[in-house]
Amino acid sequence: MKNKGIAFKLAVYIVGITVVIVGLIIWRNDTISRTLLLKNVEDNASNLTRANVNKIQGVLKSVSKITKNEAHVFEGFQITTDQLKRYIRMIVQNNEEIFGCCAAFEPYGYFEDSMYFAPYYYKTGDSIAYLNLNNDDYLYIYQDWYQIPAVMKQAVWSEPYFDEGGGNILMSTYSVPFYKNKNGKRVFNGVVTADISLEWLQKTVSDIKIFESGYAFLITQNGTVVTHPVESYVMNETIFSIAEDTDNPKLREVGRAMIRGEESFTKFRSVVTGENSYMFYYPLEEIGWSMALVFPGDELFEDLATLNRRLLMIGIGGALVLLILIVVISKRITSPLTRLASVTEKIGKGNFDTNLKVEASSREIAQLTSSIDVMLRELKNYIRNLKETTAAKEKIESELKIAHDIQQGIIPKIFPPFPERDDVDLYATLDPARDVGGDLYDFFFLDDYELCFAVGDVSGKGVPASLFMAISRTLLRAKATKGIPVNEIVKSMNLELCKGNENSMFVTFFIGLIDLKTGAIRYCNAGHNFPFILRKDCTLEALDKTHGTPLGVFEDIDYGMDEVLLDPKDSLVLYTDGVTEAMNTREELYDDIRLKELLLGYCNKCPMDITMAIVNSVKKFTGEAEQSDDITVLSLTYFMDKSIKSEGAKTMKKLIIKNNIKELDNLNVFLEKMQADWKLPQKFIMNINLVLEEMISNIIFYGYDDKEQHQIEICFQREENGLHICIMDEAREFNPMEAPDPADLEKPAEERVVGGLGIHLMKNIMDRIEYKRENERNILNLYKKI
């Protein structure tokens, strides 16, 4: 028997060693092969990408050179209107890569008696059409292709756009400003443009074939998708919005590197197939765009996977031969154990009446069978007792759950509780230490402007405390009516709670009635923790007066009351002793000092933020310690009367958007409505729109390190002779006033470093800019005269 056991173990070791060796061979071969293959793919991808980029850049450089020459002609020579038109038409006719060409002059810059002049020739079919861009539907001086080079004083490539009212195609425009000498000074006189149709560019990129499912795509310097196999992405999405929609943080990192003009070979998850893929990206330096080639991982390593499968089959075949030998040798030895294992398996499935008669081939197996038989008898007794105990426990837990649901149904828990009102905001939470607890809070209106609110803490815990809490809350609703003083409400509740109170239970209680017209609060404190008033100037006051004993202690007792006034934006915070008496594992109390320090840090915050900050702070303080008491917090913030706020609305507007590039559409709609409401000039609002799009885009693309949703708040204040704009966000700290101006503005576009132009635009357009960092928020104030 001993020899057979040794032989069995030896066979198992041989099988194990064989499997390990085969696995190591496959792993080593796969690692080396993948490394070599990826290096080869990276070289080929680099060559293919550079070749296509050079092809595209050759066209772009040709267009930019022709346009610059055209600008030099307009600056250096005096030409007639006919000569000007023939020259523009000749450029379009003789250059296949140019779709259209325009010379757009400043108002009265060409004709002294005509404000606008912008002759534009473009291709339509096999002919060349003429269009004067000066019309009511298409004012060229407000277009990006005109304004940006005028402000920047340098040639620029535009973002792709559909030129509705001009060429009526998807295009990109190269704009070059030209000047004239006036009184010895060089004065801006207009912009020369050359349009390229993006159809040939999209076809060039889409013709790049990589395996069966590989593809290439192109993005602009702001991340807008110009070409992509998913047609819905083209000109509708950015690489950043695609990364957010597909939850692909790696693609977001790649997008940032691409718009910075970097090149690299990297691994990422394809948005087309959802599979792991490899990408090589390379910049188009002439225009500031970037091209990427995507190689599908599965197709890339398909041959290598086939080889690994063959090696694996060889290893499995060898292991099967060894296993057959083991089965033949060990079958005789393990037959009794197999039968015994079958019996114990039935026992494990709950069949405790299984017959344990097994023919023992050795003394050891006989002893094992006897031990299992003893275990089976003990297990039957244990399970019988367990069923009885479990049934009783489940009944208690079910009743406690019902009691918990009933108790939670008593207190209001829909927030905000009064969404139709703007004169008060309130938030409350109750976290019982057990399934049911003795804390309570409630709030309700006595009339249109008088709000009743209360917080209480019943002595003890568990079911008795929860019942006393329910009675107290019911009495509050019954006794609190319009016209009854707050101390009389408390006195009436105390009389009822003292009746039949054989267990001597009591409840500490705080009740207040606030007049929302004035902010005046009449309150009564029956032995409860002192509430705090958090003033809008970030000072803290304690309502440190007690007007009587807790309810349910003495029947014949009169209660006093006091009054306090809340100013607009002041907050009142009520809580139970489960907050200040919370204890950590070192038996330290949370205490009033920590609570005061926390509240001072939440000045001018909403009630929900204040309430949850207190609860989270207590939870963090107690850590792993068991919760010893119920925790209840109620926060109330009073605001100014509606009629006062409506006056401010005439000169103030506010827009809140998410950190999503698609939200820029909402910004554009908001600005159009604001222009109509405040009758602002068209050119003025277009400059404001240009600045805000640049600033908001910077916040969305570069301000946040996580992929969570954040809010960006934009406030507009109409002043007597201008507009004040305030942008507030929770992004990482960034002061645009400290950002240096681009040092290479005088250089051609192809030689400049990408980035910094948006902030430079803002500084040139706005009259005054102020920045500060306050309460972990960036606050940017912009001023523009009309």
Side-chain angles (χ1 to χ4, degrees):
M1 183 69 184
K2 183 177 179 181
N3 293 334
K4 292 182 178 179
I6 294 174
F8 179 79
K9 291 181 180 179
L10 181 60
V12 172
Y13 292 154
I14 293 173
V15 172
I17 292 172
T18 302
V19 172
V20 170
I21 292 174
V22 172
L24 288 173
I25 293 173
I26 295 174
W27 173 79
R28 182 62 177 170
N29 177 70
D30 183 76
T31 302
I32 296 175
S33 300
R34 283 176 180 267
T35 302
L36 294 176
L37 182 59
L38 284 176
K39 178 60 179 174
N40 185 46
V41 169
E42 180 178 358
D43 292 339
N44 292 338
S46 174
N47 294 333
L48 180 59
T49 307
R50 292 172 189 270
N52 283 278
V53 166
N54 290 336
K55 176 181 176 183
I56 295 171
Q57 292 205 137
V59 175
L60 299 177
K61 288 181 178 180
S62 174
V63 171
S64 63
K65 184 176 181 180
I66 292 172
T67 312
K68 288 178 180 178
N69 289 339
E70 188 178 358
H72 291 319
V73 170
F74 293 160
E75 288 184 358
F77 301 95
Q78 294 290 335
I79 55 178
T80 66
T81 302
D82 290 340
Q83 290 174 334
L84 173 67
K85 291 181 178 181
R86 284 198 303 271
Y87 182 56
I88 297 174
R89 177 185 175 87
M90 178 186 68
I91 291 174
V92 177
Q93 182 175 356
N94 295 339
N95 295 275
E96 182 180 356
E97 63 272 18
I98 295 179
F99 171 80
C101 184
C102 174
F105 288 84
E106 273 283 271
Y108 303 107
Y110 190 84
F111 296 115
E112 293 183 356
D113 58 348
S114 179
M115 186 173 184
Y116 300 111
F117 184 57
Y120 175 57
Y121 284 90
Y122 63 97
K123 294 174 181 174
T124 172
D126 295 330
S127 61
I128 296 176
Y130 169 76
L131 179 66
N132 188 351
L133 296 182
N134 175 31
N135 58 72
D136 294 337
D137 296 329
Y138 190 89
L139 289 177
Y140 65 85
I141 64 170
Y142 296 136
Q143 303 299 320
D144 287 349
W145 57 261
Y146 186 90
Q147 285 195 340
I148 293 177
V151 173
M152 302 302 297
K153 301 179 180 180
Q154 61 183 15
V156 294
W157 278 100
S158 73
E159 287 284 291
Y161 67 99
F162 187 83
D163 189 32
E164 185 175 358
N168 292 310
I169 66 164
L170 185 63
M171 65 171 62
S172 182
T173 300
Y174 187 69
S175 305
V176 181
F178 62 89
Y179 302 83
K180 66 180 180 180
N181 289 321
K182 185 176 182 180
N183 298 326
K185 294 183 178 180
R186 196 164 181 258
V187 180
F188 174 73
N189 197 36
V191 173
V192 179
T193 70
D195 301 330
I196 61 169
S197 170
L198 295 185
E199 292 181 359
W200 71 270
L201 183 59
Q202 293 173 329
K203 184 178 184 304
T204 299
V205 177
S206 62
D207 285 344
I208 301 174
K209 301 300 180 183
I210 306 166
F211 296 109
E212 292 186 6
S213 59
Y215 59 92
F217 67 92
L218 191 67
I219 66 171
T220 69
Q221 59 186 352
N222 286 335
T224 302
V225 177
V226 180
T227 67
H228 200 280
V230 180
E231 294 183 359
S232 61
Y233 289 169
V234 177
M235 299 306 297
N236 295 320
E237 301 283 353
T238 68
I239 193 170
F240 303 105
S241 64
I242 295 172
E244 181 176 350
D245 293 341
T246 58
D247 190 21
N248 196 334
K250 180 64 178 179
L251 184 59
R252 184 183 295 108
E253 294 177 10
V254 170
R256 290 174 178 172
M258 292 177 72
I259 65 176
R260 288 196 298 265
E262 299 177 5
E263 62 173 288
S264 182
F265 184 72
T266 186
K267 183 179 179 180
F268 84 117
R269 175 164 53 85
S270 171
V271 298
V272 176
T273 64
E275 303 295 335
N276 287 330
S277 303
Y278 293 86
M279 177 196 296
F280 184 85
Y281 52 89
Y282 191 80
L284 280 78
E285 296 177 349
E286 172 68 23
I287 198 171
W289 297 0
S290 186
M291 175 184 286
L293 270 63
V294 178
F295 297 80
D298 290 344
E299 298 175 27
L300 189 62
F301 298 113
E302 184 175 358
D303 293 338
L304 183 58
T306 301
L307 176 60
N308 290 337
R309 285 194 294 270
R310 291 175 180 175
L311 291 174
L312 182 61
M313 291 303 296
I314 294 173
I316 292 174
L320 286 176
V321 171
L322 292 176
L323 285 175
I324 292 171
L325 292 175
I326 292 172
V327 171
V328 172
I329 295 172
S330 63
K331 188 173 183 180
R332 294 165 145 186
I333 304 172
T334 59
S335 292
L337 290 174
T338 302
R339 289 192 294 272
L340 188 58
S342 176
V343 172
T344 55
E345 183 179 356
K346 293 178 181 178
I347 295 174
K349 292 180 179 178
N351 185 3
F352 300 115
D353 297 324
T354 301
N355 187 358
L356 274 177
K357 292 183 179 180
V358 177
E359 295 181 0
S361 59
S362 66
R363 185 176 63 184
E364 290 82 2
I365 293 178
Q367 290 176 345
L368 178 60
T369 303
S370 176
S371 299
I372 293 176
D373 185 45
V374 173
M375 179 192 70
L376 180 58
R377 290 196 300 269
E378 294 296 329
L379 190 58
K380 286 181 180 179
N381 293 332
Y382 174 76
I383 290 177
R384 182 171 59 252
N385 296 332
L386 183 61
K387 286 182 178 179
E388 296 173 357
T389 304
T390 302
K393 183 179 179 182
E394 287 177 349
K395 182 178 180 182
I396 295 174
E397 290 178 348
S398 177
E399 292 174 350
L400 286 175
K401 185 179 185 304
I402 294 172
H404 175 271
D405 294 342
I406 293 174
Q407 183 183 36
Q408 291 298 313
I410 291 175
I411 60 176
K413 51 184 178 294
I414 297 177
F415 298 98
F418 316 115
E420 74 283 358
R421 304 186 71 100
D422 58 2
D423 50 0
V424 66
D425 191 10
L426 186 149
Y427 191 87
T429 182
L430 190 159
D431 184 12
R434 300 180 182 175
D435 291 322
V436 290
D439 279 8
L440 69 99
Y441 70 80
D442 200 3
F443 51 85
F444 50 91
F445 276 96
L446 301 182
D447 61 18
D448 290 343
Y449 289 97
E450 188 170 26
L451 174 67
C452 175
F453 58 92
V455 168
D457 184 1
V458 178
S459 60
K461 303 176 184 66
V463 174
S466 69
L467 294 176
F468 204 76
M469 166 266 189
I471 295 172
S472 301
R473 187 266 181 185
T474 302
L475 286 173
L476 171 63
R477 288 274 179 156
K479 302 298 182 181
T481 56
K482 178 66 177 176
I484 299 179
V486 64
N487 58 329
E488 292 298 324
I489 296 174
V490 175
K491 180 178 180 180
S492 179
M493 290 177 61
N494 179 59
L495 288 173
E496 295 295 335
L497 290 173
C498 287
K499 295 178 181 179
N501 187 7
E502 297 177 356
N503 293 323
S504 300
M505 299 190 71
F506 62 87
V507 54
T508 65
F509 196 70
F510 183 96
I511 179 173
L513 302 178
I514 180 171
D515 186 345
L516 296 178
K517 294 180 180 178
T518 63
I521 298 178
R522 289 168 287 119
Y523 67 93
C524 177
N525 188 340
H528 195 73
N529 300 78
F530 298 142
F532 290 103
I533 296 178
L534 184 59
R535 298 293 186 181
K536 63 182 178 182
D537 61 358
C538 297
T539 59
L540 198 63
E541 300 177 16
L543 300 182
D544 53 358
K545 292 184 179 180
T546 300
H547 304 99
T549 61
L551 308 185
V553 178
F554 301 110
E555 186 172 353
D556 297 324
I557 184 172
D558 292 327
Y559 288 87
M561 60 174 282
D562 274 294
E563 183 170 332
V564 67
L565 183 66
L566 292 186
D567 293 327
K569 296 185 180 180
D570 285 350
S571 297
L572 177 65
V573 181
L574 288 73
Y575 57 95
T576 60
D577 58 8
V579 174
T580 54
E581 295 180 6
M583 188 177 297
N584 60 19
T585 54
R586 296 188 298 273
E587 298 186 355
E588 298 171 337
L589 294 178
Y590 186 81
D591 66 42
D592 292 336
I593 297 176
R594 285 188 176 87
L595 179 59
K596 292 177 182 178
E597 291 175 351
L598 175 71
L599 289 176
L600 289 174
Y602 278 80
C603 176
N604 294 319
K605 296 290 186 179
C606 69
M608 184 180 71
D609 288 348
I610 297 172
T611 301
M612 296 313 300
I614 295 173
V615 174
N616 293 334
S617 177
V618 172
K619 296 289 186 183
K620 182 178 180 180
F621 173 79
T622 56
E624 299 297 326
E626 182 180 0
Q627 183 178 338
S628 59
D629 199 358
D630 305 335
I631 296 175
T632 299
V633 182
L634 184 148
S635 299
L636 178 150
T637 301
Y638 170 68
F639 298 99
M640 67 176 61
D641 186 74
K642 293 181 180 179
S643 60
I644 299 175
K645 297 183 72 172
S646 62
E647 291 300 319
K650 296 178 181 178
T651 58
M652 294 183 64
K653 293 181 181 293
K654 180 167 73 174
L655 173 66
I656 298 177
I657 62 176
K658 304 180 186 68
N659 56 324
N660 188 320
I661 197 66
K662 295 181 181 179
E663 293 279 5
L664 291 181
D665 294 336
N666 296 332
L667 173 62
N668 293 332
V669 173
F670 182 90
L671 291 176
E672 290 177 1
K673 186 176 185 307
M674 186 179 74
Q675 179 195 6
D677 292 344
W678 289 349
K679 297 180 174 54
L680 299 173
Q682 175 71 22
K683 186 172 182 179
F684 176 89
I685 206 67
M686 292 190 72
N687 284 334
I688 297 299
N689 188 19
L690 182 62
V691 170
L692 289 180
E693 282 192 353
E694 290 291 341
M695 293 300 100
I696 299 302
S697 297
N698 283 343
I699 296 172
I700 293 173
F701 289 148
Y702 309 112
Y704 303 97
D705 296 321
D706 56 31
K707 57 182 179 182
E708 300 296 328
Q709 187 178 97
H710 300 275
Q711 287 187 345
I712 302 172
E713 184 175 339
I714 313 169
C715 298
F716 301 83
Q717 173 71 49
R718 179 71 161 89
E719 298 179 348
E720 183 177 356
N721 61 345
L723 187 65
H724 171 205
I725 305 168
C726 180
I727 305 173
M728 292 176 283
D729 62 83
E730 298 175 346
R732 62 171 173 261
E733 183 174 359
F734 175 69
N735 183 358
M737 300 304 297
E738 295 178 355
D741 292 336
D744 49 1
L745 288 177
E746 301 299 327
K747 295 181 180 180
E750 62 272 12
E751 297 178 9
R752 295 196 319 270
V753 177
V754 177
L757 293 180
I759 295 176
H760 183 71
L761 270 174
M762 177 188 71
K763 293 178 179 178
N764 277 273
I765 292 177
M766 304 309 295
D767 295 313
R768 182 158 57 97
I769 304 170
E770 297 174 353
Y771 169 83
K772 64 180 178 179
R773 180 77 173 181
E774 187 174 280
N775 295 328
E776 299 300 319
R777 303 181 78 190
N778 294 309
I779 302 177
L780 182 65
N781 289 288
L782 308 174
Y783 301 85
K784 179 67 178 175
K785 294 181 180 179
I786 300 177

